[in-house]
Amino acid sequence: MDEHLHSPSPTLRVREMALADCPRVAEIRVRGWQTAYKGMMPQAYLDGLDAAEEARRLRARFERAGEGVVNLVAECDGDVVGWACHGPYREGEVRTADAELYAIYVDPDRIACGVGRALLRESTARCTTAGHGRMLLWVLRENANARRFYEKAGFAPDGAEEPFEVEGVEVPEARYARVLGGS
């Protein structure tokens, strides 16, 4: 067989999200929740998540994103396989000088393929360039896989915790922080 007919290795690229990406991002987010939070949140809640409804919410948030809010997608050979969103840290309703990673989700079929690392690397680089001194994020305390992922990327828990409740079940979150710039 002619070697030129073999497809090259997949190419991963990170770009700014477009409104047209909302349905695929919503699907990734819903499948991400259903996979990552299994056993941590009520199964009925996870089973009830709807990608079409999530796409509507995502479109609305995307269209009214505030100043400094950046949505990124990762593409592998033209297929959207991950999403991240970051912007100013929210202390209640007040935005601070720190950055916050609001969300990062990878298609469950692409976990451990470098997609999440590429998105996080781009988010932290953009936050550094924007002049933020730190990046903060919230992660479910019980989500050991996500915590390891963030720790490998230089984030560490800073001791802050926040209650989070899903259908009457407590799923507390821990805050992680990373100094940007020289690290």
Side-chain angles (χ1 to χ4, degrees), residues 42-57:
Q43 192 60 46
Y45 174 80
L46 295 174
D47 292 343
L49 294 174
D50 179 61
E53 189 175 311
E54 179 59 27
R56 282 190 292 280
R57 279 194 299 271

Side-chain angles (χ1 to χ4, degrees), residues 10-16 21 72-82 115 118-119 122:
T11 358
L12 181 66
R13 84 178 182 106
V14 176
R15 65 167 173 81
E16 290 205 17
D21 295 318
L72 301 169
V73 292
E75 284 183 325
C76 190
D77 290 337
D79 183 32
V80 173
V81 295
V115 176
L119 284 164
E122 183 67 19

Side-chain angles (χ1 to χ4, degrees), residues 28 41 43 48 52 59 61 77 84-86 92 138 158 170:
I28 289 167
M41 291 187 179
Q43 192 60 46
R59 264 189 217 94
R61 280 194 308 267
D77 290 337
C85 181
H86 68 263
W138 292 93
D158 69 0
E170 279 281 317

Side-chain angles (χ1 to χ4, degrees), residues 40-174:
M40 292 178 226
M41 291 187 179
Q43 192 60 46
Y45 174 80
L46 295 174
D47 292 343
L49 294 174
D50 179 61
E53 189 175 311
E54 179 59 27
R56 282 190 292 280
R57 279 194 299 271
L58 187 59
R59 264 189 217 94
R61 280 194 308 267
F62 183 81
E63 289 176 322
R64 71 174 192 277
E67 186 178 335
V69 175
V70 177
N71 285 275
L72 301 169
V73 292
E75 284 183 325
C76 190
D77 290 337
D79 183 32
V80 173
V81 295
W83 167 64
C85 181
H86 68 263
Y89 183 72
R90 304 162 295 185
E91 191 73 53
E93 294 300 312
V94 178
R95 291 176 178 228
T96 72
D98 290 324
E100 180 177 354
L101 181 68
Y102 302 137
I104 187 167
Y105 290 94
V106 174
D107 182 322
D109 298 333
R110 302 294 184 121
I111 297 290
C113 295
V115 176
R117 286 188 304 275
L119 284 164
L120 187 56
R121 201 170 28 251
E122 183 67 19
S123 282
T124 55
R126 286 177 181 231
C127 290
T128 300
T129 300
H132 296 288
R134 287 189 316 161
M135 184 177 231
L136 302 153
L137 60 90
W138 292 93
V139 61
L140 292 186
R141 197 171 62 199
E142 289 183 44
N143 193 341
N145 290 335
R147 291 177 76 140
R148 270 192 306 278
F149 169 77
Y150 294 124
E151 289 165 6
K152 285 181 183 176
F155 287 82
D158 69 0
E161 290 198 358
E162 196 170 79
F164 185 62
E165 191 179 297
V166 176
E167 293 189 344
V169 176
E170 279 281 317
V171 283
E173 295 180 302

